Amino acid sequence: MTRGGLCWRLAGMLAGAGLALGPVAAAAQSQDTQLTVVETPSQVEFLGGVLAESRVLYPLQVGSWVAESEHRYPEQRLGVSVRYIDNGKQRWIDLYFYPAGLQSVQSLALVAGSERDGIADAARQAGREVALGMLEPIELARGGVEGHGVDAAAPAAGMQQAWKLGLAYPDERVASAMLLFAHDLYLVKARASAPLSSPIEDELVRFMQVVAAQLRIVNTGRCWLAARTDIVDALPASGHDRVRASYRDPGRDVAAVVVDDRVLVARGEAARAQALAKELTGTLYPGCVAPEAIEPEVPPSMREMRIEYRAPNAVEGPSRGPRIGRPQPPQSGTG
């Protein structure tokens, strides 16, 4: 599998979110604890900085689809991919994992729109006729996030938004589909193709429902804010241009803020400094864990991909925003 490139800057920060949190907000269970995230440029490189390592667990088989191969792209911002095949029906699904940072509902919609535009552009440049459907939002069940094990029978941990697109290449008698969602600092995308007589869109949705429910991604790096927590006498104002997130209980002063890549905790809240840092980590960098906690248990039905990121060199340029690559169909595939 090879891949073209499309540069896309992702605005992944939530604006003004009021969230009801658990252990940290035990004294305020009847009201929403205010945890506010603002969109500001990070002072830390994303790849090789915020993200140093990732572990991705994905299912080896989904129905009749069997994982055949993995591919790591030379440019680390382009992520990794897994090819699933259904030999009996000459069909394939490529599953892509892109390091992308925190995604809001709005930024995910923008990425999905960009993917649709890119498919149209690629077809036009290749002189291929393409019939594009409309992007449609759907919901997928999200697998449990407590611990790193995988239990396919475990109840889902809520729902997450995804976008799907059906398309076809009429001259080539090929049906195709795309589906995209965000998961713990990654974008997860699938592209599928099959003969036009065997539409693939609904089957891709069923495939991704299983993948989303079983997928586990854990990360470590400077995203683990609990390693850099300071107790201070006075916190900077929440509106300060270097404050990326703040936490306060209802009716009380701000208890902690994130400034660049450090957590500052008010002295009066020192007893729960680590709990506050973990809550802020979970909001800014979902899926980020301490370095010593990154190794998952891998059941026989799953495969683990280990990814290490290096700081970008001068040729690659800064990595504060990921680049979303587009797959090119294999020479012998169906496009």
Side-chain angles (χ1 to χ4, degrees):
M1 288 170 283
T2 60
R3 190 187 287 220
L6 172 68
C7 190
W8 186 258
R9 295 288 176 178
L10 299 172
M13 297 300 172
L14 297 173
L19 304 178
L21 302 176
V24 176
Q29 293 177 358
S30 62
Q31 304 179 56
D32 284 350
T33 296
Q34 296 299 310
L35 199 160
T36 303
V37 181
V38 296
E39 184 178 344
T40 56
S42 173
Q43 301 302 309
V44 182
E45 289 288 352
F46 182 58
L47 299 182
V50 171
L51 280 191
E53 295 183 56
S54 294
R55 303 287 186 266
V56 178
L57 269 64
Y58 65 87
L60 286 168
Q61 184 167 356
V62 179
S64 62
W65 298 94
V66 179
E68 179 193 45
S69 60
E70 294 177 357
H71 187 77
R72 296 171 186 257
Y73 295 92
E75 190 174 349
Q76 61 185 357
R77 288 178 288 184
L78 298 182
V80 297
S81 63
V82 180
R83 168 152 291 184
Y84 288 80
I85 59 171
D86 183 354
N87 280 328
K89 297 182 180 179
Q90 298 182 326
R91 305 181 301 174
W92 56 268
I93 294 176
D94 285 338
L95 184 62
Y96 297 88
F97 300 93
Y98 306 96
L102 181 65
Q103 294 299 302
S104 68
V105 172
Q106 294 83 0
S107 63
L108 184 62
L110 290 173
V111 173
S114 173
E115 286 291 323
R116 186 182 188 278
D117 292 344
I119 291 170
D121 289 343
R124 183 166 50 251
Q125 292 173 15
R128 305 172 75 191
E129 180 187 0
V130 61
L132 286 173
M134 298 297 294
L135 278 168
E136 297 180 48
I138 63 172
E139 287 192 329
L140 301 176
R142 178 184 172 90
V145 294
E146 292 300 325
H148 299 166
V150 177
D151 181 355
M159 305 299 289
Q160 58 189 337
Q161 188 173 71
W163 289 90
K164 70 170 183 173
L165 173 71
L167 62 142
Y169 299 95
D171 289 349
E172 302 164 40
R173 307 295 296 168
V174 170
S176 188
M178 182 275 291
L179 197 151
L180 175 81
F181 66 94
H183 187 107
D184 291 348
L185 304 185
Y186 277 75
L187 288 170
V188 183
K189 183 184 76 174
R191 282 293 306 274
S193 288
L196 196 58
S197 59
S198 177
I200 196 72
E201 184 177 353
D202 290 344
E203 188 157 358
L204 182 62
V205 171
R206 290 191 291 271
F207 172 90
M208 288 294 263
Q209 285 172 335
V210 175
V211 169
Q214 295 190 23
L215 179 66
R216 300 293 184 275
I217 300 178
V218 287
N219 313 291
T220 198
R222 294 189 72 82
C223 60
W224 183 241
L225 299 174
R228 295 176 307 286
T229 303
D230 298 328
I231 310 301
V232 298
D233 292 323
L235 296 175
S238 297
H240 192 283
D241 60 6
R242 291 177 62 195
V243 171
R244 303 184 58 215
S246 63
Y247 180 104
R248 70 173 178 85
D249 292 313
R252 300 182 61 180
D253 292 335
V254 172
V257 298
V258 178
V259 176
D260 296 335
D261 66 338
R262 303 193 70 82
V263 177
L264 306 182
V265 179
R267 192 165 300 281
E269 304 288 352
R272 57 174 185 159
Q274 282 297 295
L276 288 166
K278 289 177 182 178
E279 289 289 356
L280 287 162
T281 296
T283 300
L284 277 174
Y285 303 121
C288 189
V289 300
E292 63 272 15
I294 194 174
E295 301 302 338
E297 298 177 8
V298 186
S301 62
M302 307 288 285
R303 177 171 169 82
E304 175 193 21
M305 281 192 293
R306 297 183 171 213
I307 307 170
E308 295 184 6
Y309 293 106
R310 65 192 182 279
N313 57 34
V315 175
E316 280 191 314
S319 62
R320 291 185 176 86
R323 188 162 75 185
I324 306 302
R326 258 179 201 86
Q328 297 293 327
Q331 295 289 334
S332 59
T334 53

